[in-house]
Amino acid sequence: MPTFDLIIRGGTIVDGTGHDRFTGDIAIKNGLIAQVGTVHGDAAEEIAADGMIVTPGFVDIHTHYDGQATWDQEMAPSSWHGVTTVVMGNCGVGFAPAHPDRHNWLIGLMEGVEDIPGTALAEGMKWNWESFPEYLDALEELPRTVDVGTHVPHGAVRAYVLGDRERPGAVPTAEDIEAMGKIVEEGVRAGALGFSTSRTVLHRSIDGEVVPGTTATAEELVGIGRAMGRAGHGVFEMASDMMREWDEFGWMGQLSRETGLPVTFAALQSIAKELPLEEQIATMRAENDNGANIVAQIALRGNGIVMAWQGTVHPFRLKPSWQAIADLPWDEQKARLLDPAFKARLLAEENDFSEVNQDIIGLIMVVTGGWTMQFEMDPDFDYEPQADASIATRAAAAGTTPEEYAYDLLCRDDGKGFIYLPLLNYADGNLDFLEELQAADDTVNSLSDGGAHCGTICDAASPTFMLQHWVRDRKRAKDRPNGRLSIEHAVKRQCLDTARLYGLEDRGVIAPGYLADLNVIDMERLKLGKPWLAFDLPAGGKRLLQKAEGYVCTIKNGRVTFREGVWTGEAPGGLIRGPQRAALAEAAE
């Protein structure tokens, strides 16, 4: 019998700790890393990794696969980008607990907040659960290419307790808060990794109502957080508009100090946030200096949307001529869009803002006419685009209007052209502000939203972008100390740091006793592919997808799940229940 199940030979090992890379072998047995260094002996399979880097599998802590994980084993697109662990149930949206008469309400909440087609969710989910522990049991039934962990979501908890009383502005009673706390405690004891909520006007149900957490009081949020404290573990995750009157950092600091648990929030440059990003970070650090443990989740690039005719959003959606064809099949839409007379009529029209919610009118104005902020997606598109790539600049150079240039751009490639609009994190027209944040110990790389925003973004590719852009190719600030990331630091950010925040101490490091979750990557070939719209969700639901070249293989629990970006059919991943320890740490006790 072979000594090991798998040996990776001669790779450049970037072990996830931030320490210097080194050349060596990795031996795997029974789903764990058995040896690292010079490995003697044979294996059932060997992978030659000369000239390649070998990293731990990436740990993505901000995804929304809550529905998809109940029916899909491949778990794309995150699994295409070296991710072997995802944490879902973020931003207060999810599907448990769920009264049978609340299924459609929860789907509408997820569809509105995360742009996941409701028809796909309705067809794909079996709803063979009601309580949160039953939901975990349902997740455990399906093997996948990745491990999944999840939060207890505020929206579902509130709806379960308040029932028909749940609406914007509803104030729970003390008994309601106690009941919500019991559900959260039960969920965390059953294996949830934490609790999540959302408090931003950008998050709305399909009916346009703000999500339940938006109007929650500090008393409600702290009361729920205390329930996690009783369970003894868990992360409190939040997205917020950071209104000054809410004093978010005040109650977050109080909660963290009282329970000893980490609180984490989405830290972004955002037109919806009252506190500027610099003030968010400074206020967080003041609380941490006073004994709190608050962690900022930062994105690696401009958070925005990829606009296309078939996507969820494009600059002409409020034109009457578009509205007249919006519900037609794509072939009929395309025929109209390519008709010069239709184009001339549409471009001559004014946008109809009459049905737009005034809370987001500024955002809509940028979508429909912010031409200096919209960028042409070339074949080798740089996701840190400069002004000369903007629609406004390129239209001027071409001697036409931005509107006509954008229209023609979207019609390219048989109507499959794309425009990139970084709504958040690009106020300065560059990503320089992220340099210091990526070097900080109180931030983690996050906010990929894997599985969500199906018609507008594909930031599930963030780990690939990190390596391609921040480590290898970044043109801006390349002569500054933090202008580019070392590969050792970048991998640590996406492996050890994200795993440890959620108590997952059994992964994110290449060392004996850790899970054999690994990537073999050809850094010279690593490249993001062109996005495309697929209609492969249940009920023909659409999603924006993006692959990458350069992933020689991805390994989960010692089994090769992907070779050159193609799923092997292996599905060794499962459900994570609560904090995890490495095998050697458990053996030592």
Side-chain angles (χ1 to χ4, degrees):
M1 292 290 290
T3 310
F4 303 105
D5 300 325
L6 177 65
I7 298 175
I8 301 171
R9 295 279 189 193
T12 299
I13 298 172
V14 183
D15 69 5
T17 65
H19 296 154
D20 291 343
R21 71 196 85 172
F22 59 94
T23 301
D25 309 326
I26 302 170
I28 296 166
K29 192 171 183 65
N30 297 328
L32 300 177
I33 297 171
Q35 292 183 19
V36 179
T38 301
V39 173
H40 300 289
D42 58 354
E45 179 184 358
E46 294 199 7
I47 296 172
D50 302 74
M52 314 296 176
I53 67 164
V54 185
T55 75
F58 300 135
V59 179
D60 188 340
I61 60 173
H62 195 106
T63 76
H64 294 279
Y65 289 106
D66 308 75
Q68 186 177 333
T70 68
W71 74 73
D72 178 36
Q73 292 184 283
E74 187 174 4
M75 294 294 284
S78 289
S79 58
W80 295 343
H81 296 276
V83 173
T84 54
T85 300
V86 302
V87 179
M88 55 196 192
N90 287 279
C91 300
V93 289
F95 299 112
H99 280 301
D101 63 355
R102 278 290 182 168
H103 292 176
N104 289 336
W105 187 89
L106 291 171
I107 287 173
L109 187 63
M110 181 69 80
E111 183 175 13
V113 173
E114 302 300 341
D115 186 28
I116 302 173
T119 52
L121 294 169
E123 181 168 308
M125 288 191 294
K126 298 177 182 177
W127 292 104
N128 52 336
W129 65 83
E130 178 171 333
S131 70
F132 194 86
E134 289 170 345
Y135 174 64
L136 294 181
D137 292 342
L139 289 173
E140 205 161 34
E141 292 177 2
L142 185 68
R144 303 171 197 82
T145 62
V146 303
D147 281 344
V148 298
T150 188
H151 301 88
V152 183
H154 196 182
V157 172
R158 240 190 178 230
Y160 196 84
V161 172
L162 269 63
D164 292 339
R165 289 182 291 136
E166 171 46 50
R167 56 180 55 87
V171 179
T173 65
E175 291 76 17
D176 291 332
I177 295 173
E178 182 180 1
M180 286 190 272
K182 287 181 178 178
I183 290 173
V184 172
E185 182 178 356
E186 177 187 47
V188 172
R189 290 188 185 278
L193 297 181
F195 167 84
S196 73
T197 191
S198 174
R199 295 160 61 71
T200 170
V201 296
L202 298 180
H203 284 171
R204 294 173 178 268
S205 74
I206 197 66
D207 297 324
E209 292 187 342
V210 293
V211 297
T214 305
T215 57
T217 63
E219 289 75 18
E220 177 181 346
L221 297 167
V222 172
I224 292 172
R226 286 172 178 152
M228 274 203 313
R230 292 194 296 271
H233 73 270
V235 177
F236 192 113
E237 184 271 338
M238 180 185 69
S240 172
D241 287 338
M242 296 295 175
M243 303 298 290
R244 294 184 187 280
E245 65 189 80
W246 293 348
D247 187 24
E248 302 283 51
F249 290 100
W251 68 258
M252 283 194 288
Q254 174 195 343
L255 174 61
S256 179
R257 284 187 292 271
E258 182 178 326
T259 64
L261 300 178
V263 180
T264 185
F265 70 100
L268 293 160
Q269 290 180 336
S270 171
I271 57 177
K273 294 183 186 294
E274 186 170 344
L275 292 186
L277 179 60
E278 296 80 1
E279 190 172 348
Q280 295 172 45
I281 299 299
T283 311
M284 173 191 76
R285 288 174 175 165
E287 291 292 335
N288 288 346
D289 288 342
N290 194 30
N293 180 12
I294 306 175
V295 179
Q297 295 191 22
I298 62 171
L300 294 170
R301 67 187 187 194
N303 287 75
I305 52 181
V306 176
M307 299 191 287
W309 288 126
Q310 290 183 277
T312 304
V313 177
H314 60 70
F316 306 105
R317 289 194 71 87
L318 297 182
K319 297 281 192 175
S321 290
W322 170 262
Q323 292 295 322
I325 67 169
D327 295 326
L328 295 178
W330 167 239
D331 286 344
E332 295 183 38
Q333 286 181 340
K334 182 171 65 173
R336 303 285 183 88
L337 291 167
L338 297 180
D339 177 4
F342 179 89
K343 169 186 169 181
R345 183 167 64 252
L346 181 146
L347 292 178
E349 295 170 347
E350 297 294 329
N351 288 301
D352 180 4
F353 296 107
S354 61
E355 301 298 321
V356 174
N357 189 297
Q358 292 304 300
D359 287 341
I360 57 173
I361 188 66
L363 169 68
I364 299 302
M365 295 292 286
V366 172
V367 170
T368 58
W371 307 116
T372 60
M373 297 173 61
Q374 298 184 25
F375 299 91
E376 178 175 354
M377 294 192 74
D378 301 313
D380 294 316
F381 183 65
D382 182 348
Y383 283 90
E384 192 174 2
Q386 301 194 47
D388 60 4
S390 74
I391 299 298
T393 300
R394 293 197 174 180
T400 187
T401 65
E403 291 87 348
E404 184 169 12
Y405 192 92
Y407 188 104
D408 291 342
L409 193 165
L410 293 175
C411 286
R412 292 178 193 169
D413 191 20
D414 200 33
K416 297 176 183 176
F418 291 107
I419 294 172
Y420 177 61
L421 171 56
L423 285 168
L424 313 177
N425 266 19
Y426 217 64
D428 306 322
N430 59 63
L431 299 176
D432 292 351
F433 75 98
L434 289 173
E435 293 175 13
E436 290 188 7
L437 292 177
Q438 290 196 94
D441 292 334
D442 51 10
T443 69
V444 291
N445 289 357
S446 184
L447 306 180
S448 82
D449 275 339
H453 302 291
C454 296
T456 54
I457 69 171
C458 192
D459 286 351
S462 290
T464 304
F465 175 76
M466 173 187 68
L467 294 177
Q468 179 182 331
H469 184 79
W470 280 98
V471 172
R472 192 188 67 193
D473 293 345
R474 189 171 186 236
K475 299 179 179 66
R476 301 199 187 192
K478 64 181 179 181
D479 297 324
R480 294 213 299 273
N482 296 324
R484 289 184 182 175
L485 299 181
S486 72
I487 193 166
E488 292 88 350
H489 183 66
V491 170
K492 176 178 178 290
R493 296 282 296 181
Q494 194 64 58
C495 297
L496 178 67
D497 292 354
T498 46
R500 293 302 180 271
L501 175 59
Y502 277 82
L504 305 180
E505 298 178 6
D506 60 343
R507 65 199 69 204
V509 173
I510 298 177
Y514 284 79
L515 291 182
D517 294 358
L518 301 161
N519 287 304
V520 180
I521 304 171
D522 185 342
M523 281 294 291
E524 291 186 2
R525 289 195 294 124
L526 190 70
K527 181 181 179 181
L528 287 167
K530 180 182 178 181
W532 81 95
L533 271 166
F535 295 83
D536 60 351
L537 291 174
K542 69 185 173 187
R543 56 177 177 163
L544 190 65
L545 297 174
Q546 187 174 32
K547 281 201 166 188
E549 297 177 11
Y551 286 94
V552 177
C553 63
T554 296
I555 298 162
K556 171 65 192 157
N557 289 349
R559 289 154 61 182
V560 178
T561 50
F562 291 87
R563 295 185 192 273
E564 295 293 348
V566 178
W567 182 29
T568 64
E570 294 279 4
L575 173 70
I576 303 169
R577 287 187 184 264
Q580 304 292 311
R581 302 284 303 279
L584 284 183
E586 293 174 352
E589 296 179 355

